[in-house]
Amino acid sequence: MSYQTEERGSPNTLSYRLYFRDSDGKYISPFHDIPMYADESQNIFHMVVEVPRWTNAKMEIATKDPLNPIKQDVKKDKLRYVANVFPHKGYIWNYGAIPQTWEDPGHKDGDTGCCGDNDPIDVCEIGSQICSRGDVLKVKILGVLAMIDEGETDWKVIAINVEDPEAKDLKNIDDVRRLKPGYLEATVDWFRRYKVPDGKPENQFAFNGEFKDKNFAIETIKSTHGFWKALLSQQTNAGGLNCKNTCVSGQDSPHCCSSDEAREIIDSTSPVGKTEPIPSSVDKWFYYEK
């Protein structure tokens, strides 16, 4: 299955949205309709790229919008960009999420002692290639970091695109440590400090900031898939999340969205417009003593 994207609104503005279609041209939700597994027998997962490496715009799957397009996060009516916290320029991996997963805010994790962050599980893709926003990759899992973000469990899965030239040499988190020395330490440093320029404290980590291995990571992903299934089957309160989907719900489900309804959702948004400039402040560097 291949996927296409369609821009709506003006890039770098509050109106911008990136919608998804399947290979038949049918509008879908990247949160709900793209399968978690690309190849279950090989433990290969799908990843939706939200933020390409080296960029700063904090793009994310809009879990509360119909069909869950990618849009830029907003705070106090302003678009959010991550600061360049020296020596890190923007995001230091291709960053995104695994579809059909959900970190349940009502579930306290037995390892971290904190509840989930109400989002799909995050992925840092560490291959050599810079991806594009909206790419749907097939990735193999290498490990996971347990970040605690303002009291919430926010897993960060480490993975690599199976089509990347480096993929054949990376099979577990120890391979990353051996072949990419310093990258895991930089990853912890990035997540620890990226909110400090916004006046927030440094983030904390379970397991003393140590990465757990591939098997632990896969089991963690599977548990978030279970929470997602409970969400879609209405065993869990969705809160403000939008669960409309075109592929996975039966016709009797309130979450089932017909092709015509999906088209109406897209038609109600602004057509793609002029790309606005990114504020010059995004290129500034932020320094502080650890």
Side-chain angles (χ1 to χ4, degrees):
M1 176 73 76
S2 61
Y3 300 95
Q4 312 157 41
T5 56
E6 180 179 324
E7 292 184 305
R8 303 288 291 184
S10 298
N12 306 323
T13 73
L14 293 170
S15 70
Y16 180 79
R17 302 288 187 275
L18 188 68
Y19 287 92
F20 286 72
R21 297 173 180 256
D22 65 15
S23 55
D24 296 324
K26 181 180 177 182
Y27 288 108
I28 60 168
S29 159
F31 185 8
H32 304 302
D33 289 317
I34 296 174
M36 179 180 74
Y37 282 112
D39 184 343
E40 185 172 359
S41 66
Q42 299 296 315
N43 275 322
I44 303 300
F45 294 79
H46 280 124
M47 169 191 175
V48 177
V49 176
E50 298 164 315
V51 186
R53 181 188 287 124
W54 310 136
T55 63
N56 298 74
K58 195 174 187 304
M59 309 300 294
E60 58 189 17
I61 292 172
T63 57
K64 297 181 179 180
D65 288 9
L67 294 183
N68 314 116
I70 290 177
K71 70 176 184 181
Q72 192 164 351
D73 192 21
V74 175
K75 185 174 183 180
K76 295 181 179 178
D77 298 323
K78 290 187 176 181
L79 298 175
R80 287 188 66 188
Y81 296 88
V82 299
N84 302 307
V85 183
F86 187 82
H88 308 303
K89 173 66 178 78
Y91 286 72
I92 63 173
W93 347 256
N94 297 301
Y95 189 72
I98 296 179
Q100 296 188 344
T101 64
W102 179 54
E103 297 185 64
D104 184 354
H107 172 78
K108 181 179 285 189
D109 187 271
D111 291 308
T112 68
C114 299
C115 294
D117 73 344
N118 204 30
D119 282 325
I121 199 166
D122 297 320
V123 189
C124 304
E125 192 281 322
I126 65 168
S128 58
Q129 301 170 335
I130 297 176
C131 298
S132 298
R133 183 186 302 157
D135 281 354
V136 179
L137 309 180
K138 297 175 181 179
V139 299
K140 63 177 175 180
I141 307 303
L142 304 171
V144 68
L145 176 69
M147 189 176 88
I148 309 301
D149 184 354
E150 299 183 38
E152 296 177 334
T153 302
D154 192 359
W155 295 103
K156 306 298 182 184
V157 174
I158 307 301
I160 187 165
N161 183 356
V162 297
E163 296 179 0
D164 192 278
E166 297 178 342
K168 65 183 185 302
D169 299 318
L170 295 170
K171 297 177 177 64
N172 209 325
I173 201 70
D174 289 338
D175 294 328
V176 182
R177 199 171 281 114
R178 177 172 56 87
L179 296 173
K180 292 177 176 279
Y183 204 177
L184 296 180
E185 292 81 359
T187 294
V188 174
D189 187 63
W190 195 98
F191 281 119
R192 187 185 303 281
R193 304 199 291 147
Y194 82 101
K195 286 189 175 181
V196 172
D198 297 328
K200 299 285 184 67
E202 291 185 347
N203 283 318
Q204 303 300 311
F205 304 89
F207 312 115
N208 295 316
E210 292 295 319
F211 289 81
K212 306 300 282 186
D213 67 10
K214 171 183 178 177
N215 291 334
F216 187 102
I218 289 172
E219 289 307 310
T220 300
I221 295 166
K222 287 179 179 178
S223 72
T224 63
H225 182 57
F227 298 140
W228 171 82
K229 288 196 287 188
L231 179 70
L232 265 286
S233 62
Q234 298 179 281
Q235 297 174 41
T236 304
N237 185 352
L241 299 182
N242 195 299
C243 296
K244 280 192 179 298
N245 59 84
T246 61
C247 300
V248 295
S249 290
Q251 292 298 317
D252 58 345
S253 168
H255 302 316
C256 183
C257 180
S258 69
S259 296
D260 288 343
E261 185 180 358
R263 163 59 69 180
E264 288 174 3
I265 290 169
I266 277 65
D267 287 346
S268 69
T269 63
S270 303
V272 66
K274 175 186 173 185
T275 300
E276 295 298 323
I278 295 174
S280 59
S281 59
V282 172
D283 290 326
K284 292 183 178 179
W285 287 91
F286 183 85
Y287 302 85
Y288 80 98
E289 189 172 356
K290 298 181 188 178

